Amino acid sequence: QVQLVESGGGSVQAGGSLNVSCAASVTISTINTMAWYRQIPGKQRELVADINKHDYTNYADSVKGRFTISRDNTKNMVNLQMENLKPEDTAVYYCNTQTFVAGKGWQTAWGQGTQVTVSS
């Protein structure tokens, strides 16, 4: 089972920048897709961005042009650089991985979450 540890996040004023990182307990070249989700209390968790092992990326419309997801295979990490932050970006951000394991199928892992707060 993949273990994920997030770091970064915090509080910033609107227009500012933050970076959140997620360290995996395994070599990430074995992970098919790494992603960041976010969740506001009382709402469903939503996909922010994901990146697959071929470095193809996908972003939610609300963050396109402002957020950048990247994988660092040397450090087994996935990063989310967030620019021009808005108050509506305030949420708990979760790291997620999807790995296909022969004989077991798709395996999902989640980090513990890290708070991002953007004040107006």
Side-chain angles (χ1 to χ4, degrees):
Q1 181 70 13
V2 178
Q3 303 295 319
L4 303 171
V5 178
E6 294 132 342
S7 60
S11 298
V12 68
Q13 289 192 325
S17 302
L18 283 174
N19 182 276
V20 289
S21 297
C22 173
S25 61
V26 300
T27 302
I28 64 170
S29 60
T30 65
I31 298 174
N32 294 84
T33 303
M34 304 186 77
W36 285 97
Y37 285 74
R38 65 188 181 188
Q39 188 170 25
I40 300 169
K43 292 194 174 182
Q44 284 192 331
R45 198 169 291 187
E46 65 174 3
L47 177 68
V48 176
D50 61 34
I51 183 168
N52 70 12
K53 60 171 54 180
H54 303 294
D55 285 336
Y56 293 137
T57 58
N58 174 55
Y59 295 92
D61 287 343
S62 59
V63 306
K64 282 181 181 176
R66 300 188 298 121
F67 290 12
T68 303
I69 189 170
S70 61
R71 295 167 67 125
D72 186 337
N73 290 334
T74 64
K75 297 180 179 179
N76 295 321
M77 296 181 71
V78 61
N79 301 301
L80 184 69
Q81 177 65 34
M82 302 178 286
E83 307 282 351
N84 190 22
L85 282 159
K86 303 176 180 180
E88 53 264 41
D89 294 317
T90 296
V92 177
Y93 284 69
Y94 295 91
C95 181
N96 166 273
T97 61
Q98 299 283 338
T99 307
F100 186 80
V101 179
K104 293 186 177 182
W106 288 99
Q107 305 293 301
T108 298
W110 291 95
Q112 79 282 1
T114 185
Q115 178 70 44
V116 170
T117 302
V118 184
S119 58
S120 57

